[in-house]
Amino acid sequence: QVQFVESGGGSVQAGGSLRLSCVYSTRTMDEYCMPWFRQPPGKEREGVALFDFDGTISFADSVKGRFDIAKDNTNKSLYLQMNSLKPEDTAIYYCAAHSHWGCDWTQGRYDYWGQGTQVTVSS
């Protein structure tokens, strides 16, 4: 059983930056696919960034060049660095994980989810 505690959300103005943290309960997450998802107000949850089993990183087109994802097993954390934030980045952000085959945005694959952290970007 894996548990996550998310933090780092808040309110910023457009152009600002935030770093989200997702602290996990296990010693390492090297055998897990670990993404960040977000759910904008009134919309469905969508994938944002992905840390694959082999360390390959993927980003949604909407955040490429602005967001970065990193994993630090020493601190048992997955991070989402968000720069040049836009009002359309406003959402609840979730970390997740699974250890099955396939690492993509298919939400049904994911067994473990964080509680979510709110990010609000004002214009």
Side-chain angles (χ1 to χ4, degrees), residues 34-70:
M34 297 192 72
W36 284 94
F37 288 91
R38 68 184 181 187
Q39 186 164 18
K43 297 184 179 180
E44 294 190 353
R45 193 158 51 188
E46 61 187 15
V48 176
L50 190 66
F51 200 98
D52 206 333
F53 300 108
D54 63 359
T56 302
I57 292 172
S58 302
F59 296 97
D61 288 344
S62 59
V63 306
K64 279 181 182 176
R66 301 188 298 121
F67 288 15
D68 196 12
I69 186 172

